[in-house]
Amino acid sequence: MYIERVPNRNSPPAVLLRELYREGNQVRKRTLANLSKLPDNAVDGLLTLLKGGIAIENLEDAFSIERSSPNGHVAAVLGTLFKLELDKLICPQKCRKRQLVMAMIVARIIDPRSKLATVRGLNPDTCFSTLGEILEVSHADEDELYAAMDWLLQRQPEIENSLAKKHLREGTLIL
């Protein structure tokens, strides 16, 4: 079975449900139904069924949204930090502590909260953005964040010197 649209000169095309069959050596076609009065979406649904597909009544019923995490603000802040090369200033090589520090910086800019709330925001079960997923720190705990801050404290003079070389000129007043 198939659906055929037969053009008419001055009127809309006839939409026919047809089947092919053999009579001896000849292939013939037989019209089973005239579907011209059906709306186009009903004809399209029937066409889908004839091709072996599944027709659904409403497109929204075919999908269920389990969870949706906002991403735009995370992408904007991370993009700016990467453009400023802050990640390389923190540590030239990608490592978990650098990722944790970056996550804490972005979390502070987006929505300042405690370390415990930041951990909850990174966890996939309780997250409020895609930050943990993007920086691959989804399963961090608050002890890891505090350890990353201690690691950052050891690197502070090196980071400050790098920032000074990058942004200050000879004779600049620093407060």
Short mmCIF file of all heavy atoms in Angstrom, two decimals, residues 7 10 12 30 39 43 49 55 58-59 70-71 77 91 96 99 102 116 130 133 136 139 156 158-159:
data_model
loop_
_atom_site.label_atom_id
_atom_site.label_comp_id
_atom_site.label_asym_id
_atom_site.label_seq_id
_atom_site.Cartn_x
_atom_site.Cartn_y
_atom_site.Cartn_z
N PRO A 7 -2.44 14.93 -9.46
CA PRO A 7 -2.76 16.35 -9.71
C PRO A 7 -4.04 16.50 -10.53
O PRO A 7 -4.33 15.71 -11.42
CB PRO A 7 -1.55 16.86 -10.48
CG PRO A 7 -0.80 15.67 -10.94
CD PRO A 7 -1.24 14.50 -10.12
N ASN A 10 -7.53 22.29 -12.13
CA ASN A 10 -7.97 23.52 -11.46
C ASN A 10 -8.40 23.29 -10.02
O ASN A 10 -9.01 24.17 -9.41
CB ASN A 10 -9.12 24.16 -12.24
CG ASN A 10 -8.68 24.62 -13.61
OD1 ASN A 10 -7.51 25.01 -13.78
ND2 ASN A 10 -9.57 24.59 -14.58
N PRO A 12 -7.48 21.07 -6.05
CA PRO A 12 -6.39 20.44 -5.30
C PRO A 12 -6.17 19.00 -5.76
O PRO A 12 -7.09 18.36 -6.28
CB PRO A 12 -6.88 20.49 -3.85
CG PRO A 12 -7.97 21.48 -3.81
CD PRO A 12 -8.54 21.55 -5.19
N ARG A 30 -4.77 -0.58 -7.60
CA ARG A 30 -6.17 -0.52 -7.20
C ARG A 30 -6.29 0.59 -6.15
O ARG A 30 -5.50 0.66 -5.22
CB ARG A 30 -6.57 -1.86 -6.60
CG ARG A 30 -7.96 -1.92 -6.03
CD ARG A 30 -8.28 -3.26 -5.38
NE ARG A 30 -7.79 -4.36 -6.20
CZ ARG A 30 -7.39 -5.54 -5.72
NH1 ARG A 30 -7.43 -5.78 -4.44
NH2 ARG A 30 -6.94 -6.48 -6.51
N PRO A 39 -7.28 16.12 6.47
CA PRO A 39 -6.25 17.17 6.58
C PRO A 39 -4.86 16.60 6.29
O PRO A 39 -4.62 15.40 6.42
CB PRO A 39 -6.38 17.64 8.03
CG PRO A 39 -7.17 16.62 8.74
CD PRO A 39 -7.94 15.84 7.72
N VAL A 43 -2.97 12.71 6.69
CA VAL A 43 -2.38 11.97 5.57
C VAL A 43 -0.91 11.67 5.86
O VAL A 43 -0.42 10.56 5.61
CB VAL A 43 -2.54 12.76 4.25
CG1 VAL A 43 -1.79 12.08 3.11
CG2 VAL A 43 -4.01 12.91 3.89
N LEU A 49 2.72 5.63 9.12
CA LEU A 49 2.32 4.28 9.51
C LEU A 49 2.58 3.26 8.40
O LEU A 49 3.02 2.14 8.66
CB LEU A 49 0.84 4.26 9.90
CG LEU A 49 0.48 4.95 11.20
CD1 LEU A 49 -1.03 5.00 11.36
CD2 LEU A 49 1.12 4.25 12.38
N ALA A 55 2.82 6.75 14.57
CA ALA A 55 2.18 8.07 14.56
C ALA A 55 1.76 8.40 15.99
O ALA A 55 1.26 7.54 16.71
CB ALA A 55 0.96 8.05 13.65
N ASN A 58 0.20 13.83 19.66
CA ASN A 58 0.72 15.14 20.01
C ASN A 58 2.23 15.03 20.17
O ASN A 58 2.71 14.15 20.88
CB ASN A 58 0.06 15.60 21.31
CG ASN A 58 0.31 17.05 21.60
OD1 ASN A 58 1.05 17.72 20.89
ND2 ASN A 58 -0.30 17.54 22.66
N LEU A 59 2.99 15.91 19.55
CA LEU A 59 4.45 15.85 19.60
C LEU A 59 4.97 15.99 21.03
O LEU A 59 5.93 15.33 21.41
CB LEU A 59 5.05 16.94 18.71
CG LEU A 59 6.56 16.97 18.60
CD1 LEU A 59 7.08 15.66 18.02
CD2 LEU A 59 7.03 18.13 17.78
N PRO A 70 20.49 25.09 33.37
CA PRO A 70 20.90 26.26 32.61
C PRO A 70 22.39 26.24 32.30
O PRO A 70 23.19 25.74 33.09
CB PRO A 70 20.56 27.43 33.54
CG PRO A 70 20.06 26.88 34.80
CD PRO A 70 19.99 25.40 34.68
N ASN A 71 22.77 26.78 31.15
CA ASN A 71 24.15 26.71 30.72
C ASN A 71 24.71 28.05 30.24
O ASN A 71 25.91 28.27 30.31
CB ASN A 71 24.28 25.68 29.59
CG ASN A 71 25.70 25.55 29.11
OD1 ASN A 71 26.62 25.33 29.88
ND2 ASN A 71 25.90 25.70 27.81
N VAL A 77 30.70 33.12 31.53
CA VAL A 77 31.75 33.39 32.52
C VAL A 77 32.99 32.56 32.22
O VAL A 77 34.12 33.07 32.25
CB VAL A 77 31.23 33.12 33.95
CG1 VAL A 77 32.35 33.25 34.98
CG2 VAL A 77 30.10 34.09 34.29
N CYS A 91 47.33 27.52 36.97
CA CYS A 91 48.24 26.39 36.81
C CYS A 91 48.38 26.10 35.32
O CYS A 91 47.36 25.95 34.63
CB CYS A 91 47.72 25.16 37.55
SG CYS A 91 48.82 23.74 37.46
N ARG A 96 42.98 18.56 38.50
CA ARG A 96 41.71 18.61 39.23
C ARG A 96 41.63 19.85 40.13
O ARG A 96 40.60 20.50 40.20
CB ARG A 96 41.50 17.34 40.04
CG ARG A 96 40.16 17.35 40.79
CD ARG A 96 39.64 15.98 41.00
NE ARG A 96 38.43 15.96 41.78
CZ ARG A 96 37.21 16.01 41.27
NH1 ARG A 96 37.04 16.09 39.97
NH2 ARG A 96 36.16 15.97 42.06
N GLN A 99 40.78 22.84 38.15
CA GLN A 99 39.37 22.79 37.76
C GLN A 99 38.47 23.17 38.93
O GLN A 99 37.47 23.86 38.76
CB GLN A 99 39.01 21.41 37.22
CG GLN A 99 39.78 21.00 35.97
CD GLN A 99 39.56 21.93 34.80
OE1 GLN A 99 40.27 22.91 34.64
NE2 GLN A 99 38.57 21.61 33.99
N MET A 102 38.70 26.93 39.41
CA MET A 102 37.90 27.58 38.36
C MET A 102 36.40 27.47 38.67
O MET A 102 35.65 28.43 38.51
CB MET A 102 38.20 26.96 36.99
CG MET A 102 39.59 27.24 36.46
SD MET A 102 39.84 28.95 36.00
CE MET A 102 38.83 29.03 34.53
N LEU A 116 29.62 24.58 50.93
CA LEU A 116 28.69 23.46 50.91
C LEU A 116 27.65 23.64 49.81
O LEU A 116 27.33 22.70 49.07
CB LEU A 116 28.01 23.31 52.27
CG LEU A 116 27.04 22.15 52.42
CD1 LEU A 116 27.74 20.82 52.17
CD2 LEU A 116 26.40 22.16 53.80
N THR A 130 25.29 23.76 34.61
CA THR A 130 26.14 22.73 34.00
C THR A 130 27.61 22.88 34.39
O THR A 130 28.47 22.24 33.80
CB THR A 130 26.03 22.80 32.47
OG1 THR A 130 26.40 24.12 32.05
CG2 THR A 130 24.63 22.47 32.00
N GLU A 133 29.62 19.66 35.35
CA GLU A 133 29.77 18.78 34.19
C GLU A 133 30.83 19.31 33.23
O GLU A 133 31.67 18.56 32.73
CB GLU A 133 28.42 18.65 33.49
CG GLU A 133 28.41 17.75 32.29
CD GLU A 133 27.05 17.73 31.62
OE1 GLU A 133 26.05 18.10 32.24
OE2 GLU A 133 27.02 17.35 30.44
N GLU A 136 34.25 19.06 34.76
CA GLU A 136 34.51 17.68 35.18
C GLU A 136 34.85 17.59 36.67
O GLU A 136 35.77 16.89 37.08
CB GLU A 136 35.63 17.07 34.34
CG GLU A 136 35.30 17.02 32.86
CD GLU A 136 36.50 16.66 31.98
OE1 GLU A 136 37.62 16.53 32.51
OE2 GLU A 136 36.30 16.52 30.77
N HIS A 139 31.63 15.43 41.12
CA HIS A 139 31.54 14.67 42.37
C HIS A 139 32.51 15.18 43.43
O HIS A 139 32.99 14.41 44.26
CB HIS A 139 31.75 13.18 42.10
CG HIS A 139 30.69 12.62 41.20
ND1 HIS A 139 29.41 12.36 41.64
CD2 HIS A 139 30.69 12.30 39.89
CE1 HIS A 139 28.67 11.90 40.64
NE2 HIS A 139 29.44 11.85 39.56
N GLN A 156 49.79 31.57 45.32
CA GLN A 156 49.40 32.98 45.26
C GLN A 156 50.53 33.91 44.83
O GLN A 156 50.31 34.74 43.93
CB GLN A 156 48.83 33.43 46.61
CG GLN A 156 48.33 34.85 46.59
CD GLN A 156 47.68 35.25 47.90
OE1 GLN A 156 47.48 34.44 48.79
NE2 GLN A 156 47.36 36.53 48.02
N GLU A 158 53.16 33.42 42.97
CA GLU A 158 53.45 33.18 41.55
C GLU A 158 52.34 33.77 40.66
O GLU A 158 52.63 34.40 39.63
CB GLU A 158 53.57 31.67 41.31
CG GLU A 158 53.95 31.29 39.91
CD GLU A 158 54.00 29.77 39.73
OE1 GLU A 158 54.31 29.06 40.70
OE2 GLU A 158 53.72 29.33 38.61
N ILE A 159 51.09 33.60 41.07
CA ILE A 159 49.96 34.13 40.30
C ILE A 159 49.99 35.66 40.32
O ILE A 159 49.79 36.31 39.28
CB ILE A 159 48.63 33.58 40.85
CG1 ILE A 159 48.55 32.06 40.63
CG2 ILE A 159 47.44 34.27 40.20
CD1 ILE A 159 47.41 31.38 41.34
#
